[in-house]
Amino acid sequence: VSMLQQWIDLASSSNTYNNVDVVASARIKKGEPGLLTDPQKHITSVLKDLGQMPEPLPDSTSRHLHEFCFWGAALINPLPPLGVSLEVRGRMLEATSIEERLVLLEKTVSRSIQNLDGTRPL
């Protein structure tokens, strides 16, 4: 959950996109700061559309954990896209276990955070 909050904080901050090393398909022009959209408004709209994040508690049901994984995948791969994360929605649907989905979400969010903080562009 804290990784998703870190992702939200980075993805919604216009300061993130001042770093030209951050890959984002929604850039005004490749290699230059700025986006075609206001990232704060974009992420706020995505969060509104998704509704409240399912909390992955230790005693959560399998269904609740699946909902959390799909919620997280929809968050980092919104439509319209920002293009700051690797595409994960198809792989999330193809995963056959909750463990596979949780690992996939964690790896993809972590990789996107590395892009958003400029340490490892996509």
Side-chain angles (χ1 to χ4, degrees):
V1 174
S2 64
M3 281 180 67
L4 285 175
Q5 187 57 56
Q6 182 182 6
W7 186 92
I8 290 167
D9 293 344
L10 285 166
S12 62
S13 172
S14 57
N15 289 335
T16 296
Y17 306 98
N18 289 335
N19 180 346
V20 296
D21 290 332
V22 173
V23 174
S25 64
R27 283 209 180 271
I28 295 170
K29 187 172 181 184
K30 187 176 179 178
E32 292 186 12
L35 295 181
L36 294 168
T37 185
D38 177 339
Q40 178 67 47
K41 288 181 183 176
H42 192 89
I43 297 299
T44 298
S45 176
V46 169
L47 289 169
K48 181 181 175 197
D49 290 345
L50 289 175
Q52 185 174 350
M53 177 178 63
E55 291 291 331
L57 304 172
D59 60 345
S60 293
T61 65
S62 175
R63 179 175 183 229
H64 196 77
L65 291 171
H66 286 285
E67 289 172 0
F68 170 76
C69 290
F70 286 115
W71 189 96
L75 172 67
I76 66 171
N77 290 144
L79 294 174
L82 283 173
V84 297
S85 298
L86 298 172
E87 177 58 55
V88 69
R89 292 172 294 188
R91 291 174 49 212
M92 192 65 70
L93 289 169
E94 293 171 350
T96 58
S97 70
I98 188 57
E99 292 81 12
E100 189 178 352
R101 286 189 173 118
L102 287 167
V103 168
L104 178 59
L105 181 62
E106 180 180 22
K107 286 181 178 181
T108 308
V109 171
S110 176
R111 181 65 181 90
S112 183
I113 288 171
Q114 291 172 341
N115 176 49
L116 289 165
D117 69 14
T119 59
R120 189 173 167 215
L122 293 178

